[in-house]
Amino acid sequence: MSLATLRRAGILACALAALFAAVAQGALVEVDNLVLHATGGFQPQRLPRHAYAPIRFRGRLGIATKDGSQPSPLRQAIVDFDRDGRLDVASLPTCPPERIASVSTEEARRLCRGAIVGSGSIEIQVALSSGLVTTSSPLSLFNGPRLDGRPTVVLHTQITVPATQTYAVLVPLEKRRGEFRWRATFDVPPIAGGLGAISGIKIDVGRRFEAGGKQRSYVSARCSDGILRTHGRFTFEDGTVIDGSVEKFCRAE
């Protein structure tokens, strides 16, 4: 990508952050021919100021083009979560990706039922000789095995166009210091033999469970400053990078 394009992407990243903060229903960002639409939120919005309470997080990412062509494939998504968010995997069962690497969604959820932490869907556009085909498949999120001592999540889906292919991708979760507490890094594998590109992702994350005689939650949050922030950085095969933050208001109790 040229320096001019990099500068345009940087300017648009600033616009992305502003739009995310200002528009409750999400943001629409354009970089050259690429169009990215993102929405997200959490429930409940009323949270303790100092203690942590269980939440559910929902997010949606849409990727399209102005001219209706197939978008450049997403190669990496890095998502950072607010320092007021907390992840708890104590005694939660894990699901190694190799256990579900060749099974259907229903079978994966049966084999790793105790490790489910979220669900959703993934939409793929596949370039075939007959034209562009859009297909949607269920997405499952499992608590994964530790990697270098850190927690992970396993994303599982099975697509059927142009042939049946199963994906079980290990996503590392890194605890960090500063404004953001946790970072998830999703390296996107080639889809449909390189013919496919992600055009949409929906996720719903949240799991209550019992460990050590106590009720726990996979994701929890507090409201220390009235805002919960999420930061995303999306890198595409053609070199385009879109970077920005979402700010959602919370009410402290």
Side-chain angles (χ1 to χ4, degrees), residues 2-200:
S2 68
L3 290 176
T5 302
L6 281 170
R7 285 194 292 269
R8 287 199 299 272
I11 293 170
L12 284 163
C14 295
L16 173 61
L19 281 168
F20 270 142
V23 183
Q25 298 303 315
L28 185 69
V29 180
E30 300 178 359
V31 177
D32 297 328
N33 191 42
L34 187 66
V35 180
L36 184 146
H37 184 212
T39 59
F42 60 90
Q43 292 292 335
Q45 291 182 311
R46 188 179 295 275
L47 296 167
R49 186 180 299 275
H50 301 293
Y52 289 87
I55 64 169
R56 292 196 71 89
F57 174 80
R58 292 180 174 90
R60 181 185 184 279
L61 178 69
I63 303 169
T65 58
K66 296 178 185 177
D67 62 10
S69 61
Q70 185 187 46
S72 176
L74 179 66
R75 282 291 166 248
Q76 186 182 70
I78 298 176
V79 183
D80 297 321
F81 300 95
D82 195 282
R83 62 184 176 86
D84 277 343
R86 186 173 69 174
L87 184 73
D88 187 351
V89 297
S91 300
L92 189 64
T94 62
C95 181
E98 57 269 20
R99 181 184 298 171
I100 54 175
S102 59
V103 302
S104 67
T105 296
E106 293 77 10
E107 183 69 2
R109 292 177 179 177
R110 186 189 67 81
L111 289 172
C112 293
R113 180 172 55 186
I116 296 174
V117 295
S119 61
S121 63
I122 185 166
E123 184 181 270
I124 307 294
Q125 288 191 352
V126 183
L128 302 177
S129 58
S130 56
L132 198 59
V133 175
T134 301
T135 181
S136 180
S137 301
L139 182 67
S140 304
L141 287 76
F142 300 96
N143 181 42
R146 287 190 173 270
L147 181 66
D148 297 328
R150 299 170 180 169
T152 66
V153 63
V154 176
L155 304 185
H156 177 278
T157 193
Q158 187 176 78
I159 66 171
T160 57
V161 178
T164 299
Q165 288 186 302
T166 307
Y167 300 87
V169 182
L170 191 69
V171 177
L173 302 174
E174 177 189 359
K175 194 172 184 179
R176 301 169 63 83
R177 296 181 179 180
E179 183 179 1
F180 299 99
R181 177 69 58 87
W182 288 96
R183 166 172 288 183
T185 302
F186 175 30
D187 291 317
V188 185
I191 297 173
L195 300 175
I198 294 175
S199 55

